[in-house]
């Protein structure tokens, strides 16, 4: 069952809804896919990522770990059974040239999760873009979903 159609939005104001949505995305993504997380500070990007990675850890009976924000380290790596997940946060990156030094898309055998991807100049073909937005009075949050390349088969 698809999560949502390409270009649709889902309200995630409740943490339980955000967790369930992250679980659905986790069921679809595979090695070579990228998930780009756009949105303001505090809108739920890292929380979504934490739910997603912890779900994959539980599903594979791996050790469930803390998933901190990589704002200061730029990247954390997680090994979940035989899959590698790279979680990037480019908030402190000044421009796309600095990203070239990180080597973000060099390894094709990983799942790549990126916060603040607007700083990436050349985006990979196979990606899911999740745009987190607050309502005007900050009482609600929505995620707009876009899928590209092979990720379109997920019907997210």
């Amino acid at each position: 069952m698809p999560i949502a159609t390409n270009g649709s939005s889902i309200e995630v104001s409740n943490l339980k809804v955000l967790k369930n949505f992250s679980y659905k995305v986790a069921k679809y993504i595979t090695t070579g896919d990228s998930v780009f997380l756009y949105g303001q500070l505090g809108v739920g990007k890292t929380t979504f990522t934490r739910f997603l990675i912890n779900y994959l850890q539980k599903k594979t009976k791996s050790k469930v770990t803390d998933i901190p924000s990589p704002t200061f380290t730029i990247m954390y790596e997680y090994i979940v059974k035989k899959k590698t997940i790279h979680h990037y946060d480019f908030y402190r990156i000044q421009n796309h040239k600095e990203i070239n030094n990180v080597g973000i898309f060099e390894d094709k055998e990983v799942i790549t999760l990126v916060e603040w991807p607007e700083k990436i100049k050349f985006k990979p073909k196979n990606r899911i873009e999740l745009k987190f937005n607050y309502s005007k009075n900050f009482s609600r949050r929505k995620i707009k979903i876009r899928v590209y390349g092979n990720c379109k088969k997920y019907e997210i």
Side-chain angles (χ1 to χ4, degrees):
M1 181 173 176
I3 298 167
T5 58
N6 194 18
S8 68
S9 294
I10 181 169
E11 185 171 331
V12 292
S13 300
N14 177 308
L15 274 181
K16 185 177 180 181
V17 174
L18 180 62
K19 182 184 272 189
N20 288 337
F21 178 69
S22 72
Y23 289 2
K24 289 178 182 178
V25 173
K27 290 177 184 178
Y28 284 91
I29 60 172
T30 190
T31 302
D33 291 345
S34 296
V35 179
F36 286 1
L37 305 153
Y38 296 86
Q40 300 168 298
L41 286 171
V43 76
K45 300 179 301 290
T46 301
T47 302
F48 170 88
T49 300
R50 182 176 302 117
F51 289 150
L52 186 144
I53 293 171
N54 285 162
Y55 171 81
L56 292 172
Q57 290 170 330
K58 290 174 192 173
K59 182 180 171 189
T60 59
K61 296 181 176 44
S62 300
K63 181 181 177 187
V64 175
T65 60
D66 186 34
I67 311 295
S69 172
T71 300
F72 296 102
T73 59
I74 308 296
M75 191 269 282
Y76 283 120
E77 179 177 85
Y78 302 92
I79 309 297
V80 181
K81 283 292 182 191
K82 295 180 181 181
K83 289 186 180 178
T84 302
I85 301 169
H86 288 171
H87 176 203
Y88 294 91
D89 185 328
F90 292 143
Y91 179 74
R92 294 183 329 114
I93 298 290
Q94 298 300 312
N95 60 55
H96 66 87
K97 292 177 185 174
E98 291 180 46
I99 293 172
N100 293 339
N101 296 329
V102 176
I104 183 171
F105 301 118
E106 289 176 4
D107 188 348
K108 304 293 186 212
E109 297 302 313
V110 301
I111 295 170
T112 305
L113 306 170
V114 183
E115 297 183 44
W116 303 95
E118 47 274 86
K119 297 181 181 179
I120 299 172
K121 188 171 184 176
F122 300 105
K123 296 181 174 39
K125 178 181 173 185
N126 303 322
R127 69 185 186 277
I128 300 167
E129 292 187 352
L130 302 176
K131 296 185 180 181
F132 291 69
N133 290 299
Y134 281 117
S135 63
K136 287 184 182 180
N137 64 359
F138 295 94
S139 64
R140 301 173 121 176
R141 290 178 296 166
K142 282 189 172 186
I143 299 174
K144 185 169 184 172
I145 304 154
R146 299 290 304 167
V147 292
Y148 300 88
N150 289 339
C151 293
K152 285 184 178 182
K153 68 184 174 199
Y154 303 146
E155 297 184 42
I156 291 179

PDB file of all heavy atoms in Angstrom, residues 9-33:
ATOM      1  N   SER A   9       0.671  15.695   0.354  1.00  0.00           N
ATOM      2  CA  SER A   9       1.127  16.107   1.672  1.00  0.00           C
ATOM      3  C   SER A   9       0.489  15.215   2.717  1.00  0.00           C
ATOM      4  O   SER A   9      -0.600  14.693   2.522  1.00  0.00           O
ATOM      5  CB  SER A   9       0.741  17.555   1.966  1.00  0.00           C
ATOM      6  OG  SER A   9       1.417  18.437   1.114  1.00  0.00           O
ATOM      7  N   ILE A  10       1.191  15.090   3.839  1.00  0.00           N
ATOM      8  CA  ILE A  10       0.654  14.347   4.971  1.00  0.00           C
ATOM      9  C   ILE A  10       0.853  15.202   6.212  1.00  0.00           C
ATOM     10  O   ILE A  10       1.914  15.799   6.401  1.00  0.00           O
ATOM     11  CB  ILE A  10       1.325  12.961   5.113  1.00  0.00           C
ATOM     12  CG1 ILE A  10       0.736  12.202   6.286  1.00  0.00           C
ATOM     13  CG2 ILE A  10       2.821  13.067   5.225  1.00  0.00           C
ATOM     14  CD1 ILE A  10       1.150  10.738   6.343  1.00  0.00           C
ATOM     15  N   GLU A  11      -0.183  15.287   7.047  1.00  0.00           N
ATOM     16  CA  GLU A  11      -0.052  16.045   8.283  1.00  0.00           C
ATOM     17  C   GLU A  11       0.628  15.164   9.324  1.00  0.00           C
ATOM     18  O   GLU A  11       0.251  14.004   9.526  1.00  0.00           O
ATOM     19  CB  GLU A  11      -1.407  16.503   8.806  1.00  0.00           C
ATOM     20  CG  GLU A  11      -1.244  17.399  10.018  1.00  0.00           C
ATOM     21  CD  GLU A  11      -2.515  18.073  10.462  1.00  0.00           C
ATOM     22  OE1 GLU A  11      -3.393  18.323   9.625  1.00  0.00           O
ATOM     23  OE2 GLU A  11      -2.603  18.343  11.662  1.00  0.00           O
ATOM     24  N   VAL A  12       1.651  15.716   9.967  1.00  0.00           N
ATOM     25  CA  VAL A  12       2.435  14.971  10.960  1.00  0.00           C
ATOM     26  C   VAL A  12       2.563  15.760  12.265  1.00  0.00           C
ATOM     27  O   VAL A  12       3.594  15.712  12.931  1.00  0.00           O
ATOM     28  CB  VAL A  12       3.836  14.597  10.413  1.00  0.00           C
ATOM     29  CG1 VAL A  12       3.735  13.580   9.299  1.00  0.00           C
ATOM     30  CG2 VAL A  12       4.595  15.829   9.968  1.00  0.00           C
ATOM     31  N   SER A  13       1.513  16.453  12.644  1.00  0.00           N
ATOM     32  CA  SER A  13       1.550  17.267  13.857  1.00  0.00           C
ATOM     33  C   SER A  13       1.703  16.416  15.109  1.00  0.00           C
ATOM     34  O   SER A  13       2.268  16.842  16.102  1.00  0.00           O
ATOM     35  CB  SER A  13       0.281  18.113  13.969  1.00  0.00           C
ATOM     36  OG  SER A  13       0.192  18.971  12.847  1.00  0.00           O
ATOM     37  N   ASN A  14       1.225  15.203  15.061  1.00  0.00           N
ATOM     38  CA  ASN A  14       1.300  14.268  16.170  1.00  0.00           C
ATOM     39  C   ASN A  14       2.548  13.395  15.997  1.00  0.00           C
ATOM     40  O   ASN A  14       2.801  12.887  14.902  1.00  0.00           O
ATOM     41  CB  ASN A  14       0.015  13.422  16.134  1.00  0.00           C
ATOM     42  CG  ASN A  14      -0.041  12.364  17.180  1.00  0.00           C
ATOM     43  OD1 ASN A  14       0.875  11.562  17.327  1.00  0.00           O
ATOM     44  ND2 ASN A  14      -1.152  12.355  17.909  1.00  0.00           N
ATOM     45  N   LEU A  15       3.335  13.205  17.066  1.00  0.00           N
ATOM     46  CA  LEU A  15       4.552  12.387  16.970  1.00  0.00           C
ATOM     47  C   LEU A  15       4.265  10.946  16.550  1.00  0.00           C
ATOM     48  O   LEU A  15       5.064  10.336  15.848  1.00  0.00           O
ATOM     49  CB  LEU A  15       5.308  12.381  18.297  1.00  0.00           C
ATOM     50  CG  LEU A  15       6.267  13.524  18.530  1.00  0.00           C
ATOM     51  CD1 LEU A  15       6.961  13.382  19.881  1.00  0.00           C
ATOM     52  CD2 LEU A  15       7.298  13.633  17.419  1.00  0.00           C
ATOM     53  N   LYS A  16       3.125  10.419  16.953  1.00  0.00           N
ATOM     54  CA  LYS A  16       2.764   9.052  16.565  1.00  0.00           C
ATOM     55  C   LYS A  16       2.577   8.958  15.049  1.00  0.00           C
ATOM     56  O   LYS A  16       3.001   7.990  14.423  1.00  0.00           O
ATOM     57  CB  LYS A  16       1.492   8.616  17.290  1.00  0.00           C
ATOM     58  CG  LYS A  16       1.119   7.183  17.026  1.00  0.00           C
ATOM     59  CD  LYS A  16      -0.099   6.761  17.822  1.00  0.00           C
ATOM     60  CE  LYS A  16      -0.444   5.321  17.519  1.00  0.00           C
ATOM     61  NZ  LYS A  16      -1.627   4.871  18.253  1.00  0.00           N
ATOM     62  N   VAL A  17       1.974   9.975  14.457  1.00  0.00           N
ATOM     63  CA  VAL A  17       1.775   9.993  13.007  1.00  0.00           C
ATOM     64  C   VAL A  17       3.123  10.112  12.304  1.00  0.00           C
ATOM     65  O   VAL A  17       3.381   9.422  11.313  1.00  0.00           O
ATOM     66  CB  VAL A  17       0.823  11.141  12.590  1.00  0.00           C
ATOM     67  CG1 VAL A  17       0.733  11.252  11.075  1.00  0.00           C
ATOM     68  CG2 VAL A  17      -0.552  10.933  13.193  1.00  0.00           C
ATOM     69  N   LEU A  18       4.010  10.972  12.813  1.00  0.00           N
ATOM     70  CA  LEU A  18       5.346  11.116  12.235  1.00  0.00           C
ATOM     71  C   LEU A  18       6.103   9.789  12.327  1.00  0.00           C
ATOM     72  O   LEU A  18       6.755   9.373  11.364  1.00  0.00           O
ATOM     73  CB  LEU A  18       6.129  12.223  12.944  1.00  0.00           C
ATOM     74  CG  LEU A  18       7.549  12.474  12.425  1.00  0.00           C
ATOM     75  CD1 LEU A  18       7.529  12.931  10.966  1.00  0.00           C
ATOM     76  CD2 LEU A  18       8.262  13.496  13.299  1.00  0.00           C
ATOM     77  N   LYS A  19       6.003   9.116  13.453  1.00  0.00           N
ATOM     78  CA  LYS A  19       6.675   7.821  13.637  1.00  0.00           C
ATOM     79  C   LYS A  19       6.139   6.797  12.638  1.00  0.00           C
ATOM     80  O   LYS A  19       6.908   6.117  11.964  1.00  0.00           O
ATOM     81  CB  LYS A  19       6.461   7.315  15.062  1.00  0.00           C
ATOM     82  CG  LYS A  19       7.162   5.995  15.348  1.00  0.00           C
ATOM     83  CD  LYS A  19       6.836   5.483  16.747  1.00  0.00           C
ATOM     84  CE  LYS A  19       7.809   6.063  17.732  1.00  0.00           C
ATOM     85  NZ  LYS A  19       7.681   5.437  19.076  1.00  0.00           N
ATOM     86  N   ASN A  20       4.833   6.707  12.515  1.00  0.00           N
ATOM     87  CA  ASN A  20       4.235   5.751  11.575  1.00  0.00           C
ATOM     88  C   ASN A  20       4.628   6.065  10.134  1.00  0.00           C
ATOM     89  O   ASN A  20       4.890   5.157   9.344  1.00  0.00           O
ATOM     90  CB  ASN A  20       2.716   5.728  11.719  1.00  0.00           C
ATOM     91  CG  ASN A  20       2.272   5.061  13.003  1.00  0.00           C
ATOM     92  OD1 ASN A  20       2.999   4.256  13.581  1.00  0.00           O
ATOM     93  ND2 ASN A  20       1.095   5.407  13.472  1.00  0.00           N
ATOM     94  N   PHE A  21       4.676   7.350   9.786  1.00  0.00           N
ATOM     95  CA  PHE A  21       5.098   7.736   8.438  1.00  0.00           C
ATOM     96  C   PHE A  21       6.556   7.331   8.199  1.00  0.00           C
ATOM     97  O   PHE A  21       6.894   6.803   7.153  1.00  0.00           O
ATOM     98  CB  PHE A  21       4.902   9.238   8.220  1.00  0.00           C
ATOM     99  CG  PHE A  21       5.360   9.708   6.876  1.00  0.00           C
ATOM    100  CD1 PHE A  21       4.676   9.332   5.724  1.00  0.00           C
ATOM    101  CD2 PHE A  21       6.486  10.498   6.755  1.00  0.00           C
ATOM    102  CE1 PHE A  21       5.114   9.746   4.466  1.00  0.00           C
ATOM    103  CE2 PHE A  21       6.927  10.919   5.516  1.00  0.00           C
ATOM    104  CZ  PHE A  21       6.237  10.549   4.365  1.00  0.00           C
ATOM    105  N   SER A  22       7.421   7.561   9.185  1.00  0.00           N
ATOM    106  CA  SER A  22       8.836   7.182   9.037  1.00  0.00           C
ATOM    107  C   SER A  22       8.967   5.672   8.869  1.00  0.00           C
ATOM    108  O   SER A  22       9.810   5.197   8.109  1.00  0.00           O
ATOM    109  CB  SER A  22       9.666   7.671  10.227  1.00  0.00           C
ATOM    110  OG  SER A  22       9.389   6.924  11.387  1.00  0.00           O
ATOM    111  N   TYR A  23       8.145   4.899   9.565  1.00  0.00           N
ATOM    112  CA  TYR A  23       8.178   3.433   9.430  1.00  0.00           C
ATOM    113  C   TYR A  23       7.801   3.022   8.009  1.00  0.00           C
ATOM    114  O   TYR A  23       8.410   2.122   7.429  1.00  0.00           O
ATOM    115  CB  TYR A  23       7.209   2.771  10.405  1.00  0.00           C
ATOM    116  CG  TYR A  23       7.592   2.822  11.859  1.00  0.00           C
ATOM    117  CD1 TYR A  23       8.746   3.475  12.310  1.00  0.00           C
ATOM    118  CD2 TYR A  23       6.797   2.212  12.813  1.00  0.00           C
ATOM    119  CE1 TYR A  23       9.074   3.510  13.654  1.00  0.00           C
ATOM    120  CE2 TYR A  23       7.129   2.238  14.158  1.00  0.00           C
ATOM    121  CZ  TYR A  23       8.270   2.897  14.575  1.00  0.00           C
ATOM    122  OH  TYR A  23       8.595   2.915  15.902  1.00  0.00           O
ATOM    123  N   LYS A  24       6.806   3.685   7.447  1.00  0.00           N
ATOM    124  CA  LYS A  24       6.386   3.361   6.076  1.00  0.00           C
ATOM    125  C   LYS A  24       7.492   3.682   5.077  1.00  0.00           C
ATOM    126  O   LYS A  24       7.753   2.900   4.169  1.00  0.00           O
ATOM    127  CB  LYS A  24       5.101   4.108   5.724  1.00  0.00           C
ATOM    128  CG  LYS A  24       3.900   3.566   6.467  1.00  0.00           C
ATOM    129  CD  LYS A  24       2.646   4.343   6.151  1.00  0.00           C
ATOM    130  CE  LYS A  24       1.478   3.803   6.955  1.00  0.00           C
ATOM    131  NZ  LYS A  24       0.251   4.560   6.721  1.00  0.00           N
ATOM    132  N   VAL A  25       8.137   4.829   5.244  1.00  0.00           N
ATOM    133  CA  VAL A  25       9.248   5.181   4.357  1.00  0.00           C
ATOM    134  C   VAL A  25      10.370   4.163   4.509  1.00  0.00           C
ATOM    135  O   VAL A  25      10.948   3.707   3.521  1.00  0.00           O
ATOM    136  CB  VAL A  25       9.755   6.619   4.633  1.00  0.00           C
ATOM    137  CG1 VAL A  25      11.013   6.912   3.826  1.00  0.00           C
ATOM    138  CG2 VAL A  25       8.669   7.639   4.309  1.00  0.00           C
ATOM    139  N   ALA A  26      10.665   3.755   5.749  1.00  0.00           N
ATOM    140  CA  ALA A  26      11.737   2.782   6.013  1.00  0.00           C
ATOM    141  C   ALA A  26      11.483   1.459   5.306  1.00  0.00           C
ATOM    142  O   ALA A  26      12.427   0.789   4.872  1.00  0.00           O
ATOM    143  CB  ALA A  26      11.880   2.562   7.516  1.00  0.00           C
ATOM    144  N   LYS A  27      10.234   1.077   5.173  1.00  0.00           N
ATOM    145  CA  LYS A  27       9.896  -0.184   4.501  1.00  0.00           C
ATOM    146  C   LYS A  27      10.201  -0.129   3.007  1.00  0.00           C
ATOM    147  O   LYS A  27      10.403  -1.160   2.374  1.00  0.00           O
ATOM    148  CB  LYS A  27       8.421  -0.521   4.717  1.00  0.00           C
ATOM    149  CG  LYS A  27       8.113  -0.925   6.141  1.00  0.00           C
ATOM    150  CD  LYS A  27       6.625  -1.169   6.329  1.00  0.00           C
ATOM    151  CE  LYS A  27       6.309  -1.469   7.781  1.00  0.00           C
ATOM    152  NZ  LYS A  27       4.866  -1.656   7.990  1.00  0.00           N
ATOM    153  N   TYR A  28      10.213   1.057   2.425  1.00  0.00           N
ATOM    154  CA  TYR A  28      10.427   1.213   0.994  1.00  0.00           C
ATOM    155  C   TYR A  28      11.877   1.432   0.602  1.00  0.00           C
ATOM    156  O   TYR A  28      12.323   0.923  -0.411  1.00  0.00           O
ATOM    157  CB  TYR A  28       9.603   2.399   0.458  1.00  0.00           C
ATOM    158  CG  TYR A  28       8.135   2.116   0.300  1.00  0.00           C
ATOM    159  CD1 TYR A  28       7.251   2.373   1.336  1.00  0.00           C
ATOM    160  CD2 TYR A  28       7.628   1.593  -0.877  1.00  0.00           C
ATOM    161  CE1 TYR A  28       5.890   2.118   1.190  1.00  0.00           C
ATOM    162  CE2 TYR A  28       6.279   1.346  -1.033  1.00  0.00           C
ATOM    163  CZ  TYR A  28       5.415   1.603   0.012  1.00  0.00           C
ATOM    164  OH  TYR A  28       4.091   1.350  -0.136  1.00  0.00           O
ATOM    165  N   ILE A  29      12.601   2.243   1.355  1.00  0.00           N
ATOM    166  CA  ILE A  29      13.947   2.634   0.915  1.00  0.00           C
ATOM    167  C   ILE A  29      14.910   1.459   0.935  1.00  0.00           C
ATOM    168  O   ILE A  29      14.767   0.524   1.708  1.00  0.00           O
ATOM    169  CB  ILE A  29      14.509   3.808   1.742  1.00  0.00           C
ATOM    170  CG1 ILE A  29      14.616   3.449   3.221  1.00  0.00           C
ATOM    171  CG2 ILE A  29      13.706   5.057   1.510  1.00  0.00           C
ATOM    172  CD1 ILE A  29      15.334   4.496   4.043  1.00  0.00           C
ATOM    173  N   THR A  30      15.880   1.558   0.059  1.00  0.00           N
ATOM    174  CA  THR A  30      16.877   0.502  -0.050  1.00  0.00           C
ATOM    175  C   THR A  30      18.233   1.121  -0.380  1.00  0.00           C
ATOM    176  O   THR A  30      18.337   2.318  -0.647  1.00  0.00           O
ATOM    177  CB  THR A  30      16.449  -0.523  -1.122  1.00  0.00           C
ATOM    178  OG1 THR A  30      17.315  -1.649  -1.054  1.00  0.00           O
ATOM    179  CG2 THR A  30      16.466   0.060  -2.517  1.00  0.00           C
ATOM    180  N   THR A  31      19.232   0.282  -0.395  1.00  0.00           N
ATOM    181  CA  THR A  31      20.588   0.723  -0.710  1.00  0.00           C
ATOM    182  C   THR A  31      20.604   1.485  -2.033  1.00  0.00           C
ATOM    183  O   THR A  31      19.991   1.065  -3.009  1.00  0.00           O
ATOM    184  CB  THR A  31      21.510  -0.510  -0.795  1.00  0.00           C
ATOM    185  OG1 THR A  31      21.445  -1.193   0.455  1.00  0.00           O
ATOM    186  CG2 THR A  31      22.931  -0.123  -1.068  1.00  0.00           C
ATOM    187  N   GLY A  32      21.294   2.616  -2.037  1.00  0.00           N
ATOM    188  CA  GLY A  32      21.377   3.462  -3.225  1.00  0.00           C
ATOM    189  C   GLY A  32      20.378   4.598  -3.235  1.00  0.00           C
ATOM    190  O   GLY A  32      20.488   5.515  -4.046  1.00  0.00           O
ATOM    191  N   ASP A  33      19.401   4.552  -2.336  1.00  0.00           N
ATOM    192  CA  ASP A  33      18.396   5.612  -2.263  1.00  0.00           C
ATOM    193  C   ASP A  33      18.868   6.736  -1.355  1.00  0.00           C
ATOM    194  O   ASP A  33      19.633   6.529  -0.417  1.00  0.00           O
ATOM    195  CB  ASP A  33      17.072   5.082  -1.702  1.00  0.00           C
ATOM    196  CG  ASP A  33      16.358   4.136  -2.645  1.00  0.00           C
ATOM    197  OD1 ASP A  33      16.714   4.094  -3.837  1.00  0.00           O
ATOM    198  OD2 ASP A  33      15.430   3.441  -2.185  1.00  0.00           O
TER     199      ASP A  33
END
